[in-house]
Amino acid sequence: MSAPRSTAAGKVLEVLSAFDREHPSQTLSEIAQRTGLALSTTHRVVAELAGWGVLERAEDGSWHVGLRLWEIASGCPRTQILRDVALPFMQDLYEATHENIQLAVREGTELVFVERIAGHRSVELLTMVGTRFPIASTGMGRVLLAHAPQEIQEEVLHAPLRAWTAHTVVDPKALRAQLDLIRREHVFVSDRQLSESTVAVAAPVRIGRAGPVSAALGVVITARGAGRARRLREPLLRAVHGISEELGRRTRTAS
């Protein structure tokens, strides 16, 4: 049985989904090839998206995501309030550490990075704002996983885990113990789990001091400076407590 034809909205989403960090700029032919749409259909959809400002054409004739799409995405209510509240505390944390500061949220069994502050001397990262990773891949992801619903935890624990480095914990029993430790200690040091060159220190952000976990905040440093990880605990906790209290206050005010 053949697959049903895409709806008009489906074709739009297929075209937009063709753009990612590995393919930020593409020709019409490349978009058609990546989506499987006919070239004439691709041309029509791209023209409509360009008319809305969602796609823009470069001087060489290739296409890339337009400013209008960023404007729409920046209004996402789930992350807008979180980012507005968190950013001042992230700036304070950066001033105290001069290291990469990242904020992430969970979506299903993935985490999405929604904000970041980095200095020009900070260690280079694999992650960027807007990128997704399997939730067990990073220190911040494991913090989010530790506080995720039980069914999400079991889905991750029963699926094959990718070993990003020789240090990545992929044994389900060891990971389950790690998640228990995260819930008890509140701060997690992720030693070269995603990259051989980085160590992350992460903690949960709640809605109020004792409310549900809504995000994770992390400091990422070079693995050569791993001895500093424990000294980052206190400034990180000050930041997550401040964000959590302000999120709780805004939630109470809105209700």
Side-chain angles (χ1 to χ4, degrees), residues 11-51:
K11 292 183 176 69
V12 168
L13 293 174
E14 287 177 19
V15 168
L16 291 177
S17 297
F19 293 89
D20 54 30
R21 294 194 182 277
E22 285 71 42
H23 305 87
S25 181
Q26 300 174 74
T27 64
L28 275 176
S29 296
E30 289 169 336
I31 297 170
Q33 184 176 13
R34 281 179 56 78
T35 60
L37 297 173
L39 187 59
S40 58
T41 302
T42 303
H43 183 275
R44 185 181 72 251
V45 173
V46 167
E48 288 185 48
L49 290 172

Side-chain angles (χ1 to χ4, degrees), residues 86-195:
L87 195 53
F89 294 97
M90 293 176 67
Q91 290 168 339
D92 289 345
L93 184 56
Y94 173 76
E95 288 301 322
T97 64
H98 293 284
E99 301 288 358
N100 292 291
I101 313 299
Q102 294 185 302
L103 184 69
V105 297
R106 180 182 66 82
E107 185 169 78
T109 58
E110 296 180 313
L111 82 157
V112 183
F113 291 90
V114 297
E115 190 57 270
R116 173 184 171 187
I117 298 176
H120 64 277
R121 286 194 291 268
S122 301
V123 64
E124 186 175 351
L125 301 180
L126 296 177
T127 55
M128 298 178 66
V129 172
T131 56
R132 292 170 176 260
F133 277 85
I135 198 166
S137 300
T138 73
M140 297 172 68
R142 295 197 178 197
V143 166
L144 291 169
L145 180 60
H147 296 279
Q150 191 66 36
E151 60 269 22
I152 294 293
Q153 294 184 33
E154 295 303 321
E155 181 178 349
V156 172
L157 287 163
H158 285 88
L161 298 173
R162 174 177 173 178
W164 295 83
T165 74
H167 305 277
T168 308
V169 174
V170 295
D171 177 70
K173 185 176 180 180
L175 178 54
R176 195 181 294 275
Q178 196 174 72
L179 298 179
D180 289 339
L181 182 67
I182 291 169
R183 287 187 288 269
R184 291 197 307 271
E185 296 195 351
H186 309 298
V187 174
F188 174 55
V189 177
S190 176
D191 183 6
R192 294 166 291 174
Q193 295 291 300
L194 180 64
S195 165

